[in-house]
Structure formats: C-alpha cells, structure tokens
Amino acid sequence: MSSQSGRGDGQPHAPTTPLEAQAMAVALDVARQGARGANPLVGATIVDQNRIIAVGHHRGAGTPHAEVDALRAASESGQDVRGATMVVTLEPCDHTGRTGPCSRALIDAGISRVVYATADPHTIASGGAARLRAAGVETVEGLMAEQARELNDRWLLAARQGRPYVTAKIAQSLDGCVAAADGTSQWITGDRARRSAHALRARADAVLVGTGTVLADDPRLTARDRNGEPLGNQPLHVAMGLRPVPDGAALRDGPWLQIASHDPVQVLAELAAAGVGHVLVEGGPTITGAFIDADLVDTLVVQQAPLMLGPGIRSTGALNVDTLGRAIQWRLDEPVRTLDDNLEIILRPSPRRPEKTPTREEKHVHRNR
C-alpha cells in the first residue's frame, strides 16, 4: 500500500455557494453511517436547481462508493443529474477495484461540477479530480476540509503509514478481565455480543491473534451467523508470534498465515504486502496491549459484560503507563449499544499528549489530596 500527501487536482479555495456548504454538511453527516475499516467514511450529495436532489454514502468495502450511491438515489427518484453539482467529502477515486472509478461514473452521468473536501491520499486511487478536469468537469477542493480530515483522521494516518486499518476487539468483565484466573473465558459475553463480534470479522480482511491464544483456545477465527454457519465474507486467519501453530489447529481450516514476529509494525507491514486493508485484532491481552501501546489501534471495540472476575487475566496486558499524565485516552465514536445485558462501546484514540513525568512536588500534592 502506498500513499502520497499534498493537494489533489481541484482548484483550492475556489468560490463555493452557501447551498454547497449546506450540502457538504449533509454529506459529512451521512458519511458517519458507514463502517470504519479499510475504506474511509465518505458521503455525497447532488445539488441542482438550488436544492439537494440526492444523498449517498459508502457503506463499507465492496459496496458502491458514495458518489455512485448518490447517483443511484437520484435515478431511483427520477432526478436528471446532467449539469448538476456533486458535493463529496473525499476526492472521487480514479481506480478500478471491487468497484469502478467514480470519476468515470460522474463523467458518464453528465455531472458538470464537483466540490470535494480533501484529496485522496492513496496513489492507487487518487487522480479522480485530474480525470474530471480533463473531461471538462469543474472541480473545487477544500470545502470543510478540516471536518472531513477529522472524520477520517485514523484512516488517513493508516494510509500515510502504508499499513492496514486496525480494529481491536475486547470482550471483558466489569473489572477489566478477559478470562478468569484459571484461564476460562467462554463465554464472558452473551449471544448478541458474540454475533456482533462475528459481524466485525466479516467486515475485516484478516483476524489476528497471538500464538499463545492459538495454543490456549484453538480459535477458528471464522465469521459465523447465529446458527454457526459461515457468513458470506471470510477473513484471513493470522497468528502472530514465534511458537509454531499446531498441525491440527482450527485456524488452519481456511486461508491462514503465521507472522513470526512480536513487533506490531512488522506484522502490519507484512499484512499490507499481502493485500490486507483492514485487520481485526482479537488478542490475547499481550498482543492487544502491544498494538495499543504502539498507537496502532484505529478503532477499539469493547464489549462489556455484567460480571466480575476478581484476580482474572487483564484485558490488555502491560501498557507503558506509569502515571495518570501518560494515560492512553479514547473518545466515543458511536453511541453505546445495548446487546441484551452487555454493552458495546466503540472508541477511537484521542491524540496523544506529549509524555510528562510529574515533578516531586506534583507527586506530593497528588498523594495528599
């Protein structure tokens, strides 16, 4: 996976209209309905005759891009888009992958003007604005760019680093344990929470665990429905670590890969080379903690069960946090979901503050509060 930085080929800071600003706000709002992962959250609106005539968004890997979704919505409602303006949160792609290039779709539809927030950072997909301009379509870049970049801050970071997008999932007790002291963990969470976890697997290109988890739990790492049947999309099974994966291990039933390393950066580099765009890290605690400590988790999914395990196995292992000022902080990315008696909390990292070691005076004040 390669990336580039800098502007796209749209006209920066060209004049836009109040209606286009309103349309971009709508596009940013609907973009949040998509699924974070290998692809960015993207929303699009079509403006014609002083009104918004269609809205679309990207729902996840393999589904129509936001621009094509908006064109479909316009067609289904009988709207003629020839000469209309497309307002979209990311530069239209110029790449044929699971779907065709959005630049060509917009040209074929007769769109005359495209206003987009930010340039696409991927070399393989960028260039849509140049294609549009060559076809005579006016392009404008930069409307609400800061909001669009904030929406996809972690996706943009992963793109710049040339690595897969990383989701980590933790199923834990109220007191932060993923297993009891004797190692038993099936099942901490309930049926609906486990179904949600399987849906996460189906959206990922790969599911990763440590070789310790392979030896202790022998997980299948498949995505299954409530009846235990395989879902349509199945991830690559990945074991990370130096210990050999046994010949009879369940994860061998399907495409699988072992990466003999304890370094999350190296593991992600090898997964990127294998074509993985989105990896789901399911642990164990040492592996999950290593990815969090390295600031490589872009989305954290915590499934919280209403039980306590006392001296159990902690959910993340050791983190490089020795004082409150170095706490790793997160922010809610979606409203908390209730799954029967369980909670599902979806978070993304807050920007890390510079590390600060407390002075002797600060430690004294804290102890005496």
Side-chain angles (χ1 to χ4, degrees):
M1 185 186 300
S2 58
S3 64
Q4 66 180 15
S5 61
R7 291 193 174 278
D9 293 298
Q11 301 176 45
H13 309 302
T16 55
T17 68
L19 179 58
E20 287 169 347
Q22 177 188 348
M24 184 65 80
V26 172
L28 288 165
D29 189 51
V30 298
R32 294 180 176 88
Q33 298 175 24
R36 293 191 186 273
N39 299 108
L41 300 180
V42 183
T45 56
I46 302 175
V47 174
D48 192 33
Q49 298 181 351
N50 297 317
R51 62 191 180 94
I52 298 172
I53 64 171
V55 178
H57 73 282
H58 182 50
R59 290 166 173 79
T63 65
H65 288 189
E67 301 95 319
V68 174
D69 191 45
L71 291 173
R72 175 200 55 77
S75 176
E76 290 179 353
S77 62
Q79 301 288 341
D80 184 358
V81 301
R82 287 174 296 179
T85 296
M86 174 72 70
V87 178
V88 61
T89 60
L90 184 71
E91 177 188 3
C93 72
D94 195 48
H95 168 64
T96 300
R98 297 187 190 182
T99 59
C102 293
S103 56
R104 175 54 57 190
L106 297 178
I107 293 167
D108 292 344
I111 294 291
S112 65
R113 174 176 163 95
V114 174
V115 178
Y116 63 94
T118 63
D120 193 318
H122 281 113
T123 301
I124 194 171
S126 63
R131 169 93 56 186
L132 290 164
R133 293 186 73 183
V137 178
E138 182 184 9
T139 63
V140 179
E141 176 187 346
L143 179 62
M144 297 188 181
E146 184 176 348
Q147 294 94 318
R149 283 192 290 266
E150 197 278 335
L151 177 66
N152 286 303
D153 56 350
R154 294 298 299 198
W155 179 83
L156 290 165
L157 176 63
R160 288 194 299 270
Q161 294 177 345
R163 62 167 175 82
Y165 189 94
V166 178
T167 298
K169 192 269 292 182
I170 297 172
Q172 67 177 23
S173 64
L174 285 174
D175 49 352
C177 296
V178 294
D182 65 355
T184 54
S185 62
Q186 296 183 356
W187 297 103
I188 287 177
T189 54
D191 181 64
R192 284 188 63 197
R194 292 196 298 275
R195 293 206 306 270
S196 179
H198 280 280
L200 274 176
R201 288 182 179 179
R203 293 200 297 269
D205 299 320
V207 177
L208 181 148
V209 296
T211 50
T213 295
V214 173
L215 296 172
D217 296 337
D218 194 23
R220 286 183 280 176
L221 303 185
T222 53
R224 304 183 295 278
D225 65 18
R226 65 188 308 163
N227 298 316
E229 297 298 320
L231 293 171
N233 296 317
Q234 290 296 319
L236 174 70
H237 309 156
V238 181
M240 168 184 172
L242 304 181
R243 287 178 284 184
V245 173
D247 290 340
L251 65 76
R252 288 178 176 266
D253 186 14
W256 76 285
L257 174 68
Q258 179 171 6
I259 301 177
S261 174
H262 291 147
D263 180 2
V265 174
Q266 180 183 342
V267 169
L268 292 181
E270 293 197 28
L271 289 176
V276 171
H278 180 200
V279 59
L280 173 63
V281 175
E282 290 201 2
T286 301
I287 297 297
T288 302
F291 276 87
I292 291 174
D293 225 20
D295 193 24
L296 290 172
V297 173
D298 304 303
T299 294
L300 177 63
V301 179
V302 179
Q303 294 182 334
Q304 191 85 50
L307 51 86
M308 293 183 175
L309 293 175
I313 299 172
R314 305 292 299 175
S315 60
T316 59
L319 296 174
N320 186 28
V321 176
D322 57 6
T323 185
L324 185 61
R326 294 177 64 180
I328 300 170
Q329 299 190 29
W330 303 81
R331 50 184 166 156
L332 276 177
D333 197 39
E334 298 180 18
V336 176
R337 297 175 63 201
T338 302
L339 303 174
D340 294 331
D341 290 335
N342 303 148
L343 298 179
E344 185 171 77
I345 308 165
I346 300 179
L347 306 143
R348 57 176 164 155
S350 295
R352 297 224 177 157
R353 294 180 294 178
E355 294 183 1
K356 178 179 181 296
T357 302
T359 65
R360 181 181 302 175
E361 291 77 13
E362 287 172 333
K363 289 180 179 179
H364 177 77
V365 168
H366 177 74
R367 283 196 302 267
N368 288 280
R369 280 181 176 173

